[in-house]
Amino acid sequence: MINKDSFLYPRGRYYGHVQPENLVFNANLQEFAQKVSYVCNLETGGKLPPEEAYEQIKVLWKQLKRSKKELGIGEDPSQNNASDN
């Protein structure tokens, strides 16, 4: 029996540099993409007005940006060490 969540929210395998923060961000990114896809499909099907779809995607994007910042993705590790001194 297939788990409903696995069916509705499939996860792709991660092939990047394996670090805990990268894995968490990848999961967040996949969730973002899945939710944006649902919003787009609802808007395309006429179930959601364009303005509401835009606002929902904007909120999702801000959540993803916050996640990236909190996890320190894309930051130079040498800058973090310099600020600790």
Side-chain angles (χ1 to χ4, degrees), residues 38-50:
Y38 284 143
V39 171
C40 290
N41 290 332
L42 287 170
E43 193 277 332
T44 299
K47 303 292 183 183
L48 196 64

Side-chain angles (χ1 to χ4, degrees), residues 13-30:
R13 188 170 178 180
Y14 180 68
Y15 292 98
H17 184 67
V18 178
Q19 290 181 320
E21 59 271 13
N22 290 352
L23 295 173
V24 170
F25 182 72
N26 180 263
N28 293 343
L29 183 61
Q30 288 188 46

Side-chain angles (χ1 to χ4, degrees), residues 71-85:
L71 292 168
I73 303 296
E75 293 179 2
D76 184 7
S78 64
Q79 288 179 344
N80 291 341
N81 292 339
S83 64
D84 292 342
N85 293 333

Side-chain angles (χ1 to χ4, degrees), residues 26-38:
N26 180 263
N28 293 343
L29 183 61
Q30 288 188 46
E31 182 179 351
F32 167 79
Q34 189 72 40
K35 288 180 178 181
V36 166
S37 176
Y38 284 143

